[in-house]
Amino acid sequence: MYLRLSMERVTLFVDVIVPLAVPERYTYRVPFELNNDVQVGKRTIVQFGRTRLYTAIICEIKTEANPKYEAKYLDLIIDDEPIISEKAIQFWKWMASYYMCNQGDVMNAALPANMKFSSQTVLLADKEVDIHFEELSREENRIFQLIRESEGIMLQDLSTSKQVPAIIKRLIDRGIVFTAEEIKDSYKAKREVFVKISEEFNSEEGVQKAMDILQKQEKQLDVLLAYVELSAILSGRTKHVKRKQIVKRLDRSVAALQPLYKKGILIEEEIEVDRIETFSNEILPLPLLIGEQKEAIIKIREGWKEHPNTLLEGVTSSGKTLVYAHLIQEAIDRGEQVLYLLPEIGLTQHLISRLKKYFGSAIGVYHSKFKKDERVEIWKKVLTNDKNGGQIILGARSALFLPFKNLGLIIVDEEHDSSLKQHQPSPRYHARDSAIMLGKIMDSKLILGSATPSLESRWLAMEGKYNWVRLKKRFGDIKLPEVVIVDLKKEKAEKWDATIFSRLLIDLTRYDFDKGHQVIYFQNRRGYAPLWLCKVCGWIPRCDDCDVNLTYHMHNHILSCHYCSKNYSPPIKCPACGSHKLAMPGHGTERIEEDIAALFPNKKMARLDLDTTRCKNAYENILNRFEAREIDLMVGTQMLSKGLDFDNVQLVGILNADQMLNFPDYRAFERAFQMMVQVAGRAGRLSKQGKVVIQTRYPEHWVLDEVKNHNYDAFYSKEIVERKQYKYPPFYRLIRIIMVDKNKALVNIAAIQLADRLKLSLNDRVLGPEFPFVSRIRNKFHIHILLKLERDMPTLKVRSFIQSEIDHLISIKEFKGVRIYADVDPI
C-alpha cells in the first residue's frame, strides 16, 4: 500500500503520438490521480493547440519533462487496457522514419476512424445571466433559447441558415454564450433485439406448460413453436433467438410477440452483436499435399531455420494457396495469429469463401471498404486473439496495422502487385516491404508468393537473402496455356474489320461458347473511349484542372477526368470549329462490352473494373455470378489478373499488349510481362490446356516471346542487366521528391534550389528537377526530383539529410506555401 501511494505522488510525463502531420512526439504531464492508469499503447485525450482536443497514443512513460516547452496535463485515459503493443509502436516509428513521414500520419492510417474521437465545438449558454430579452432581436432570442435549453449543442445542429454564425458571434460578444470542447466517441456498438424463454418455462416440462396455457390461442402458440424450433431448446440448449428471425419465420409483425411477453412466457432483450458475419457451416479437413506442393512445404520449414523470409515462386494454378493453407493450420495449432495480405480488396472475399471451408470463423476480413464500426470490431477481435475472427486475418495493405498479440505467420500473396503500394495519403508505404519489417519486429515467419515475382524479390532470393522455393508445374500436371500472338497490322492489311477484335479471337470465342466454356477479355483501360476528337480541326476535350484528356463513360453519358474525378457534359459540336463531326477513337472496357454483345447477342456479358466495383460487395457479386456460370464473357482491367480461380475458362484474350509495353516507365516491361502472364494464367486451370490470344502491332517484341514461352527466367536475365546498367532497383533505391504549388514558376524555382543543395552532397545521384508527363493535377503543378541511392548507403542518415534540406527550403518565406513530400521506393 505504501509503494502504491508513493507512486501516486511521483510526477510522471508521457510522450504521445497525435493524429496530426507534426514531426515530433509531444510530452504531457500526468495528473497524480492517473499515475496508475498510464500505460504504453493506451489512448488518451490531450489538448493540442489553444482549445482543440485529440485522441493520442501513449508511446513512452518517463519522469523528466521536455525542456523545450511546459508540458500540459493529460485530460483522461480512454482505455482500461492497451489497444496496441509496444512492438506495434516500434513498427510505426520505423515506418515514419523509412517512408519520410510523421508518426501522426502512421497513426491516422493505422487506427480505425471510430477509435479516434472527434473534437467538436459545442455552444453553451450562461444560465445564470440576467438579461433583458428585449435587448435581443427575435432571431437572437430564438437561438439563445435553443442553446440555453440544451446541455450543449453543436453549431451544425442549430440551423443551415447563413445568418446563424453571425448571430452566434453576437451572442458570444455579449458574453451570454460561450464555446466548449466536447469529445465525441463516434463508435457505436451494434445492438439487436433477442428473444428468450423465461426461467419458469426454461425446460421441457416448462415448454409443455406454456403450450398448455396457449392451447386455445392458435396464433400465440405458433409464435412459441417458432421460438422452440429456432432455439433448439428441447435439445438441451437455451439460447437467445433474434426477434427478426421469429418474425420472418411467422411472416407477421413484431406485435405478434407482445401477448407472450405479457404472459411472462418470452422475454425480450437488446444485446450487443458483431457486425461481422460468422461462418456456421461444417469445417472440412484440408486436402492433402501432393508432388511439388509436399516438397515445397518441407523446403519452407527447413529454410525457416536459417531465414524467416521465403519467396514461394509458383506458376499460375500450381497450388500455392493450398501450401499457404497448410502453413496457416500449423501456425493456428501453435496458438499463433496469421496475417494474409492481398493486393485487391475484392480478392479477400473471393479467397475467404475458399479458406472458410477449412478454417471457419477463425478467419476475419479487414479492408477500407468495411464500415467504420466493422473495422473497430475486427480490431478488438485481433487484440484479444478471438477465435471467432481474430486468428486469421485476410486483408488489403491496411491490415498490417492490426494489433496482433502473437503474430506467427505473414503471407503476402501476389507480392509483385503494384496495388500493395500506398500512394495517397501519407504514409506512402509498400505493404510487402513493410510486412518484412513487421515480421522482423514481431519475430514472425513470412512468405512472399507469386507466379511472376518482382525483380527485387527474385534478386534477393538469388542473392541468398530469402529462402527460395519453386513450384514449376500446375496442379495435376495440367499444361500451361498455349499463347498465340496475333499481328494486328497483318489483320488490317487483310481488311478484317471487327473493331478491336482479331479474326482468330472471334473464331476461338465462338468455338468456346459452343463448347459451353466461359471467356475472359483483358483491356487495361476503363470507360467507353479514352478521348473525343473533332475530325475536322483535331480538337480534344481536356480537363480544366488537369493536363489530361477526358475519358467518355457511356453508362452515365459523361466525360470524366481520371485524375481529379471531375465530370463534364459531352459537347454536341466542336467548341473550336463548330463541326458536328466528333469521333471517339480507342476502346475502353465499356465499349468492348458493347461491341462483343453486338457480336454475340445471345450471350451474357459482364464488366469488371473500377466503375462496376465501387460498392462494398460489387466485386464479389460479379465474381460469384461468373463462378456460377451466369456470365459467358467477362471483360475487365487489371483486376482480372489477381489470383482468380475459375474452372470453366479455356480462352483469354489480351486485346492490346502495346498499351502496356509502350508505357513511359522503367518498370513497363516488368509490369507488362507480369500482367500478361497473370491474366493468361486464368485459362485452362481445371482439366485441359487453355489458350491465350495476345493482340499486338509488334509481334516480334522480345517480352512477348518470353510471355509466349512462359519463361520468367529468361525475362529476368535480360531485364536485370538493364536495371544494373541504368542504376535502378534492385541495385539502387529510389526516392522521388514531389513538389506541388499553384504557381508553376515558383514551384520550378523551389525545385531547382532544392536539387542544387542536394547535389552538393549527393552529386549525380540527384536527377532533375523535371515536370512529369501529367504535371498539372487539380490546378496544381507537380515537379519531381529523383534520387538514385546505392543499397549500402546508410538509410536513416540519408533520409535525415534529405529532410533537413526540405525543412531548410520551406523555412524560406518565398517557399512556405510549396507542398513537398517524399515517395520512398516509388513504383
Side-chain angles (χ1 to χ4, degrees):
M1 177 63 73
Y2 172 76
L3 288 173
R4 181 179 177 84
L5 290 174
S6 63
M7 182 62 188
E8 288 175 350
R9 304 308 299 175
V10 172
T11 300
L12 295 179
F13 296 88
V14 293
D15 282 350
V16 303
I17 304 171
V18 291
L20 300 169
V22 291
E24 303 290 340
R25 296 174 174 181
Y26 279 79
T27 302
Y28 286 81
R29 185 171 177 175
V30 182
F32 289 135
E33 63 270 21
L34 295 181
N35 273 10
N36 291 311
D37 295 325
V38 292
Q39 194 173 348
V40 172
K42 285 186 176 182
R43 290 173 298 167
T44 179
I45 298 298
V46 298
Q47 181 183 341
F48 191 84
R50 300 181 67 179
T51 58
R52 300 295 290 174
L53 300 173
Y54 291 94
T55 301
I57 293 287
I58 298 172
C59 54
E60 186 179 348
I61 303 170
K62 54 190 183 181
T63 56
E64 295 181 358
N66 190 318
K68 297 178 182 178
Y69 51 85
E70 183 180 351
K72 297 176 183 177
Y73 279 93
L74 295 182
D75 282 323
L76 61 94
I77 304 293
I78 298 173
D79 304 302
D80 294 329
E81 299 293 334
I83 64 160
I84 61 169
S85 66
E86 293 188 45
K87 288 185 176 181
I89 293 174
Q90 183 183 345
F91 176 59
W92 290 12
K93 184 178 180 180
W94 169 83
M95 181 171 280
S97 173
Y98 185 83
Y99 288 105
M100 298 182 66
C101 61
N102 304 297
Q103 291 186 50
D105 295 331
V106 182
M107 176 183 171
N108 265 328
L111 287 188
N114 285 12
M115 296 185 76
K116 294 171 288 192
F117 298 161
S118 57
S119 174
Q120 298 182 8
T121 300
V122 175
L123 299 169
L124 298 167
D126 186 350
K127 296 186 177 182
E128 303 300 324
V129 69
D130 185 15
I131 186 169
H132 298 288
F133 293 111
E134 59 268 23
E135 298 176 17
L136 303 177
S137 69
R138 180 178 178 183
E139 194 62 14
E140 285 174 343
N141 188 31
R142 185 183 72 82
I143 295 294
F144 178 74
Q145 291 297 333
L146 283 173
I147 299 172
R148 193 174 197 178
E149 291 168 8
S150 70
E151 294 299 320
I153 188 169
M154 286 181 286
L155 178 62
Q156 64 260 35
D157 294 334
L158 281 172
S159 172
T160 57
S161 170
K162 293 180 180 179
Q163 286 73 40
V164 168
I167 293 170
I168 297 298
K169 185 178 185 303
R170 292 198 294 271
L171 295 176
I172 291 173
D173 291 341
R174 286 175 178 269
I176 60 176
V177 167
F178 57 95
T179 63
E181 288 296 318
E182 175 187 70
I183 295 298
K184 182 180 179 182
D185 184 353
S186 56
Y187 170 68
K188 293 181 180 179
K190 182 179 180 181
R191 304 183 71 84
E192 284 200 33
V193 177
F194 283 76
V195 175
K196 71 174 184 178
I197 200 161
S198 65
E199 197 61 37
E200 180 183 352
F201 302 99
N202 186 15
S203 64
E204 191 172 339
E205 295 78 13
V207 171
Q208 185 60 53
K209 179 181 175 182
M211 293 174 69
D212 292 341
I213 294 172
L214 301 174
Q215 61 179 335
K216 293 184 179 180
Q217 284 84 32
E218 185 177 341
K219 290 185 178 180
Q220 294 177 32
L221 184 60
D222 288 343
V223 174
L224 178 62
L225 291 174
Y227 168 80
V228 169
E229 184 179 351
L230 290 168
S231 67
I233 187 174
L234 297 180
S235 301
R237 292 182 293 166
T238 303
K239 70 172 186 178
H240 294 77
V241 177
K242 289 181 182 180
R243 184 178 66 186
K244 65 183 181 183
Q245 287 182 290
I246 299 175
V247 170
K248 184 177 180 181
R249 175 65 61 88
L250 295 167
D251 196 21
R252 297 186 205 168
S253 69
V254 173
L257 283 77
Q258 292 299 324
L260 280 79
Y261 297 155
K262 290 178 181 178
K263 292 174 180 175
I265 296 173
L266 296 181
I267 301 171
E268 190 175 277
E269 278 187 334
E270 194 177 66
I271 299 175
E272 184 175 326
V273 298
D274 289 342
R275 287 179 170 82
I276 312 301
E277 184 181 353
T278 57
F279 182 84
S280 58
N281 296 338
E282 181 184 358
I283 295 176
L284 303 174
L286 282 170
L288 295 176
L289 297 171
I290 58 172
E292 277 193 329
Q293 295 173 326
K294 195 171 184 179
E295 295 173 13
I297 207 164
I298 293 171
K299 289 178 181 178
I300 291 170
R301 292 193 201 108
E302 288 298 314
W304 276 343
K305 294 176 182 178
E306 296 183 12
H307 297 291
N309 304 329
T310 296
L311 173 64
L312 179 59
E313 181 183 334
V315 298
T316 55
S317 195
S318 58
K320 294 186 292 294
T321 302
L322 187 55
V323 173
Y324 299 152
H326 278 264
L327 293 171
I328 290 170
Q329 186 63 63
E330 291 174 10
I332 295 300
D333 291 343
R334 294 191 297 268
E336 297 170 346
Q337 292 173 296
V338 177
L339 171 60
Y340 194 137
L341 286 179
L342 292 155
E344 281 286 349
I345 289 170
L347 282 180
T348 56
Q349 297 299 330
H350 184 72
L351 183 62
I352 201 170
S353 62
R354 295 161 64 187
L355 291 184
K356 273 201 169 182
K357 296 175 184 177
Y358 312 121
F359 301 107
S361 292
I363 292 180
V365 184
Y366 190 82
H367 54 67
S368 59
K369 285 196 178 178
F370 268 29
K371 294 177 181 177
K372 295 176 181 179
D373 291 339
E374 291 175 331
R375 299 181 81 183
V376 172
E377 290 178 7
I378 284 290
W379 184 282
K380 291 179 177 180
K381 288 175 181 290
V382 174
L383 184 63
T384 58
N385 198 7
D386 192 328
K387 292 184 178 180
N388 185 20
Q391 287 186 305
I392 306 167
I393 297 297
L394 271 69
R397 55 181 179 261
S398 59
L400 277 170
F401 298 111
L402 287 168
F404 295 99
K405 283 288 187 71
N406 184 25
L407 184 59
L409 176 63
I410 303 172
I411 298 167
V412 184
D413 201 11
E414 309 295 345
E415 64 85 30
H416 66 277
D417 199 289
S418 59
S419 299
L420 290 168
K421 170 75 173 179
Q422 164 81 6
H423 296 285
Q424 291 286 1
S426 182
R428 296 170 181 85
Y429 65 98
H430 197 297
R432 176 196 63 220
D433 301 335
S434 299
I436 292 168
M437 178 53 67
L438 179 64
K440 183 177 180 181
I441 292 171
M442 297 283 188
D443 194 25
S444 309
K445 306 301 183 187
L446 179 133
I447 296 270
L448 304 176
S450 177
T452 54
S454 62
L455 263 70
E456 291 91 330
S457 295
R458 169 62 100 88
W459 181 78
L460 287 167
M462 294 181 72
E463 290 289 305
K465 305 295 184 183
Y466 298 158
N467 304 314
W468 186 19
V469 179
R470 305 183 73 180
L471 296 169
K472 298 182 180 181
K473 297 179 181 179
R474 279 187 155 188
F475 186 77
D477 283 335
I478 299 170
K479 290 183 179 181
L480 288 165
E482 177 191 356
V483 178
V484 181
I485 309 294
V486 175
D487 186 351
L488 292 178
K489 290 183 293 185
K490 186 177 178 181
E491 292 264 324
K492 188 174 181 179
E494 294 175 354
K495 297 183 179 180
W496 165 256
D497 184 20
T499 62
I500 197 174
F501 313 112
S502 64
R503 187 194 307 269
L504 177 64
L505 182 59
I506 294 299
D507 289 345
L508 289 175
T509 300
R510 185 175 289 110
Y511 174 83
D512 272 82
F513 282 162
D514 291 343
K515 293 292 184 180
H517 297 147
Q518 294 165 290
V519 177
I520 287 175
Y521 282 0
F522 171 75
Q523 172 77 337
N524 204 22
R525 175 178 280 161
R526 64 188 174 96
Y528 186 84
L531 52 85
W532 276 35
L533 171 69
C534 175
K535 296 171 74 173
V536 175
C537 71
W539 171 83
I540 296 173
R542 294 171 67 84
C543 178
D544 294 338
D545 299 331
C546 308
D547 287 334
V548 292
N549 300 331
L550 299 174
T551 299
Y552 178 60
H553 292 256
M554 178 171 275
H555 74 282
N556 49 6
H557 190 53
I558 58 167
L559 289 168
S560 178
C561 174
H562 285 180
Y563 279 78
C564 70
S565 301
K566 191 173 181 179
N567 296 326
Y568 301 80
S569 297
I572 299 174
K573 62 180 180 178
C574 174
C577 69
S579 169
H580 290 273
K581 295 181 179 180
L582 300 176
M584 291 181 284
H587 286 74
T589 50
E590 265 191 282
R591 189 171 193 167
I592 291 164
E593 182 185 25
E594 179 186 82
D595 288 354
I596 199 67
L599 288 170
F600 299 99
N602 297 323
K603 297 298 178 181
K604 294 180 180 177
M605 311 293 163
R607 180 161 45 91
L608 189 72
D609 57 24
L610 183 62
D611 297 321
T612 61
T613 58
R614 293 184 186 277
C615 300
K616 178 180 174 182
N617 296 317
Y619 191 110
E620 180 186 4
N621 292 337
I622 294 171
L623 295 184
N624 286 342
R625 286 175 56 215
F626 193 74
E627 202 162 24
R629 304 187 183 184
E630 296 172 10
I631 298 168
D632 299 301
L633 186 145
M634 183 157 63
V635 56
T637 58
Q638 61 179 340
M639 293 180 177
L640 289 171
S641 69
K642 302 175 190 290
L644 301 176
D645 189 6
F646 302 117
D647 59 16
N648 192 41
V649 174
Q650 290 298 119
L651 175 65
V652 168
I654 298 174
L655 304 182
N656 188 352
D658 304 335
Q659 178 187 332
M660 296 179 280
L661 290 169
N662 296 326
F663 194 78
D665 185 85
Y666 81 94
R667 290 186 186 271
F669 289 174
E670 179 185 9
R671 286 180 179 156
F673 179 88
Q674 290 168 338
M675 195 83 70
M676 285 186 274
V677 170
Q678 292 285 345
V679 173
R682 303 314 109 204
R685 297 174 69 92
L686 182 64
S687 56
K688 68 174 186 176
Q689 185 181 27
K691 185 164 287 190
V692 179
V693 175
I694 299 179
Q695 300 184 159
T696 177
R697 288 175 173 80
Y698 306 97
E700 68 282 353
H701 201 293
W702 72 268
V703 173
L704 296 179
D705 280 342
E706 307 311 344
V707 173
K708 182 176 181 178
N709 297 323
H710 304 281
N711 197 340
Y712 180 83
D713 290 342
F715 169 80
Y716 172 84
S717 298
K718 293 176 184 177
E719 187 70 5
I720 203 72
V721 172
E722 297 277 313
R723 294 287 182 89
K724 188 172 185 178
Q725 181 179 352
Y726 294 105
K727 298 182 179 180
Y728 280 110
F731 304 100
Y732 282 72
R733 298 185 188 277
L734 304 184
I735 298 177
R736 179 179 290 135
I737 299 173
I738 301 166
M739 306 175 70
V740 185
D741 195 80
K742 288 184 178 181
N743 188 323
K744 184 176 183 179
L746 178 67
V747 76
N748 187 40
I749 294 168
I752 291 170
Q753 287 197 24
L754 178 58
D756 287 346
R757 287 183 62 91
L758 291 171
K759 287 174 183 177
L760 291 175
S761 297
L762 296 175
N763 304 312
D764 61 355
R765 298 179 182 90
V766 182
L767 303 178
E770 65 177 17
F771 289 99
F773 180 72
V774 179
S775 61
R776 185 170 62 101
I777 301 172
R778 293 185 174 90
N779 233 4
K780 293 182 179 179
F781 291 92
H782 294 62
I783 191 166
H784 296 172
I785 300 170
L786 184 66
L787 308 181
K788 290 184 176 181
L789 308 172
E790 294 89 343
R791 288 187 68 90
D792 58 359
M793 288 188 75
T795 301
L796 296 180
K797 186 176 179 181
V798 172
R799 283 161 174 71
S800 178
F801 165 70
I802 295 169
Q803 189 62 55
S804 68
E805 292 299 330
I806 292 173
D807 293 342
H808 170 77
L809 183 77
I810 59 178
S811 69
I812 300 171
K813 184 178 180 180
E814 182 185 3
F815 304 128
K816 272 189 180 296
V818 177
R819 181 180 168 219
I820 307 175
Y821 62 90
D823 186 3
V824 178
D825 300 333
I827 61 170

